[in-house]
Amino acid sequence: MRKFATAGFIMLAMVALVLGGNPVQTRASSHREAPNISRDPQADNTDVYAFVSNDRRDSVTLIANFNPLEDPGGGPNYYRFGDDVLYELNIDNDGDAKDDITFQFRFRTEVRNPGTFLYNTGPVRSIDDPNLNIRQFYSVAVLGKGGNDDPVRSGTVIADNLPVAPYYVGPNSYPDGYEQVAMQAVRDIGNGIKVFAGPRDDPFFIDVGGTFDLLKGIRGKDGLSGLNVHTIAIQVPIVGLQGPKDSIIGVHSTTHRRTMSVMRAMGGSKASARVSIKAKEPVVQVSRLGMPLVNEVVMPLALKDAFNSLKTSQDAVLFTSETPAGGLFRKSILDPELARLLHGIMGVDVPAPPRNDIVTIFLTGIPKLNQPASVTPAEELRLNMAIPPSDNPNRMGLLGGDMAGFPNGRRPTDDVTDIELQAVAGATPLTPGFEKNNKLGDGVNGNDKPFKNTFPYLAEPHTYQEK
């Protein structure tokens, strides 16, 4: 059973939903989840999504969000991607916990007129409008299997100088509408691949305050309502992701920075540090995210930053070790603390340990659904690409009878908070007799804005007028 020790991730994650402490510091799925990354929002993964595209069923859409808790009115220096951050979406298509395909995104910022404080010097009607003073562009590269051991992570560039959707400064800055400008950032880069990068409404929804207040303060109020994130989305044909054994992929997102940063007076920096991630210099992984609600509520403070630096291929090694860290996680697997808290605080009858059902759901994938033919346990979001999208999606995913939903991948509409809470309470087919716990939840059943029906699917970002 020790080979499944990574399942301790989920146990501690659920505990933190109940006893998470300061909700400002950990407001939602992987928002400000570790000490170091909380000080580096441009590199901070917030959520990862992977699903078969409902309007293009021969493709999969992968989404990674960054810059947690963006205030729409946060000017004049608005949120943006980091020029000195390497962003990646990683795919394991043979179940060995090693990346087989990695899509890399590198950004650069262009300032047309540094003599003004304005983001835009007049109304913006197109993505290349001369009134748009601060613009970002990016490249897309592909890294193949084995490239993860390359310290500079050199990929093959497949598209360059792609425009990032501008920030939604406000309706006066976009007199013809913001979305008609933002959607010009959706680009077809060939071979059936579409990409988008730019600000979006934060799609995660949860009653943060009530959940953290020992579950007794739940009011059904979305704590992320009115806040934005920066999104990287890519839509790829299924045949381009297919592995040699089956149609199941594991997905996670990572960010990397240079191994050093030397700052100078007057806001300057050493030429070799924090200038451009394109330079051929070694990088270090600073953030990772696959399954929702993991690092920010899984690791004790001493291990959070270490987890962000781990490759998925190192998960099983770490958590099967005889180190104190390994022992800490093994202890939490078969007798999850959250189950005991649900019983003690709310009087919920939960399954007795050992809880092998949690191991199956959250670590190896579910047999005959999204478990690879041969699987190495790892913290990945697993998706069976052979299962078509549902014509009537259920927010409860698999627990609601919808095989196309979480934990088989993750769609923006999936209520992962309620799903994971019910799972740890035993309300799954893997633990018969506890179906009565299928009413547990935080009272927030959907996002504060409707999602789009086409790529990139996430809703337009909020403006300061909506606050």
Side-chain angles (χ1 to χ4, degrees):
M1 186 56 63
R2 288 184 176 178
K3 68 178 181 178
F4 298 125
T6 316
F9 290 174
I10 306 304
M11 302 300 97
L12 291 178
M14 293 303 186
V15 171
L17 280 177
V18 182
L19 298 179
N22 186 345
V24 175
Q25 296 299 312
T26 54
R27 289 184 67 170
S29 179
S30 292
H31 292 55
R32 296 171 54 83
E33 77 277 6
N36 282 348
I37 203 63
S38 68
R39 299 190 294 269
D40 189 6
Q42 288 185 328
D44 190 357
N45 288 273
T46 67
D47 287 283
V48 172
Y49 301 85
F51 54 94
V52 177
S53 311
N54 62 295
D55 63 330
R56 188 181 161 204
R57 299 191 172 201
D58 63 345
S59 71
V60 165
T61 295
L62 309 174
I63 297 174
N65 292 332
F66 306 89
N67 260 337
L69 314 176
E70 292 183 3
D71 187 324
N77 296 297
Y78 294 100
Y79 302 93
R80 61 192 187 194
F81 293 104
D83 292 358
D84 49 1
V85 180
L86 172 60
Y87 300 87
E88 295 184 337
L89 275 162
N90 310 285
I91 296 93
D92 166 20
N93 62 17
D94 56 12
D96 66 354
K98 298 179 181 179
D99 302 339
D100 298 294
I101 304 169
T102 293
F103 293 101
Q104 301 177 322
F105 304 82
R106 291 175 167 89
F107 293 82
R108 65 178 178 86
T109 302
E110 176 184 298
V111 180
R112 283 172 162 164
N113 179 10
T116 177
F117 69 87
L118 292 170
Y119 182 86
N120 54 294
T121 56
V124 177
R125 290 185 165 86
S126 70
I127 202 165
D128 58 357
D129 195 303
N131 287 331
L132 190 57
N133 187 40
I134 299 178
R135 303 187 299 169
Q136 282 200 300
F137 300 88
Y138 67 104
S139 66
V140 182
V142 178
L143 184 69
K145 191 177 184 70
N148 289 349
D149 296 324
D150 176 3
V152 300
R153 300 184 67 80
S154 299
T156 300
V157 176
I158 60 175
D160 202 0
N161 292 316
L162 300 168
V164 175
Y167 197 83
Y168 193 1
V169 175
N172 295 311
S173 294
Y174 298 91
D176 299 333
Y178 172 77
E179 278 295 87
Q180 73 89 16
V181 175
M183 288 302 99
Q184 294 174 32
V186 174
R187 296 298 171 102
D188 187 335
I189 61 174
N191 296 314
I193 301 175
K194 287 185 179 181
V195 292
F196 169 86
R200 295 282 89 189
D201 160 66
D202 191 330
F204 192 68
F205 47 94
I206 181 176
D207 185 340
V208 180
T211 301
F212 277 73
D213 190 16
L214 296 178
L215 294 177
K216 296 183 179 181
I218 287 177
R219 299 169 294 164
K221 182 178 180 179
D222 183 1
L224 296 179
S225 176
L227 299 176
N228 299 326
V229 291
H230 263 61
T231 293
I232 294 173
I234 184 167
Q235 192 174 74
V236 185
I238 289 175
V239 295
L241 301 177
Q242 189 87 29
K245 301 177 182 178
D246 51 42
S247 298
I248 297 171
I249 58 174
V251 178
H252 74 286
S253 174
T254 52
T255 58
H256 298 75
R257 280 195 179 275
R258 300 275 184 83
T259 56
M260 65 179 294
S261 175
V262 180
M263 307 306 293
R264 287 178 173 169
M266 297 296 293
S269 62
K270 186 176 179 180
S272 64
R274 292 184 181 261
V275 176
S276 172
I277 199 69
K278 289 186 177 182
K280 299 299 183 182
E281 297 181 10
V283 294
V284 60
Q285 182 177 303
V286 296
S287 179
R288 61 173 275 193
L289 177 63
M291 293 286 285
L293 298 167
V294 178
N295 191 14
E296 80 283 11
V297 291
V298 168
M299 303 288 184
L301 286 171
L303 297 178
K304 285 179 175 290
D305 294 321
F307 175 76
N308 266 337
S309 70
L310 288 179
K311 299 177 183 178
T312 50
S313 60
Q314 296 174 299
D315 288 352
V317 176
L318 175 63
F319 292 100
T320 57
S321 72
E322 297 300 328
T323 64
L328 173 64
F329 285 98
R330 285 194 294 274
K331 183 178 179 181
S332 65
I333 298 170
L334 301 180
D335 187 14
E337 186 176 3
L338 178 61
R340 287 182 275 115
L341 291 171
L342 287 173
H343 177 73
I345 295 174
M346 303 183 67
V348 176
D349 184 23
V350 297
R355 294 296 303 276
N356 294 318
D357 57 314
I358 300 297
V359 172
T360 299
I361 294 169
F362 291 105
L363 182 57
T364 65
I366 300 171
K368 299 182 179 180
L369 178 69
N370 64 346
Q371 184 179 109
S374 57
V375 60
T376 298
E379 190 265 320
E380 298 177 344
L381 181 63
R382 301 189 188 276
L383 170 68
N384 188 338
M385 301 184 295
I387 297 177
S390 172
D391 293 327
N392 297 290
N394 189 300
R395 71 176 180 90
M396 294 302 295
L398 188 62
L399 290 185
D402 184 354
M403 295 179 64
F406 185 78
N408 180 33
R410 182 186 177 188
R411 305 165 299 191
T413 55
D414 289 335
D415 193 343
V416 296
T417 301
D418 286 9
I419 294 170
E420 293 191 357
L421 190 60
Q422 291 182 22
V424 81
T428 77
L430 298 177
T431 52
F434 293 89
E435 296 83 358
K436 58 187 176 183
N437 293 337
N438 65 2
K439 302 301 180 183
L440 291 174
D442 67 345
V444 182
N445 298 335
N447 193 41
D448 57 332
K449 279 193 172 187
F451 296 114
K452 302 170 74 72
N453 294 321
T454 57
F455 183 83
Y457 303 104
L458 304 189
E460 72 173 34
H462 296 270
T463 175
Y464 70 94
Q465 292 189 335
E466 299 176 64
K467 290 290 287 181

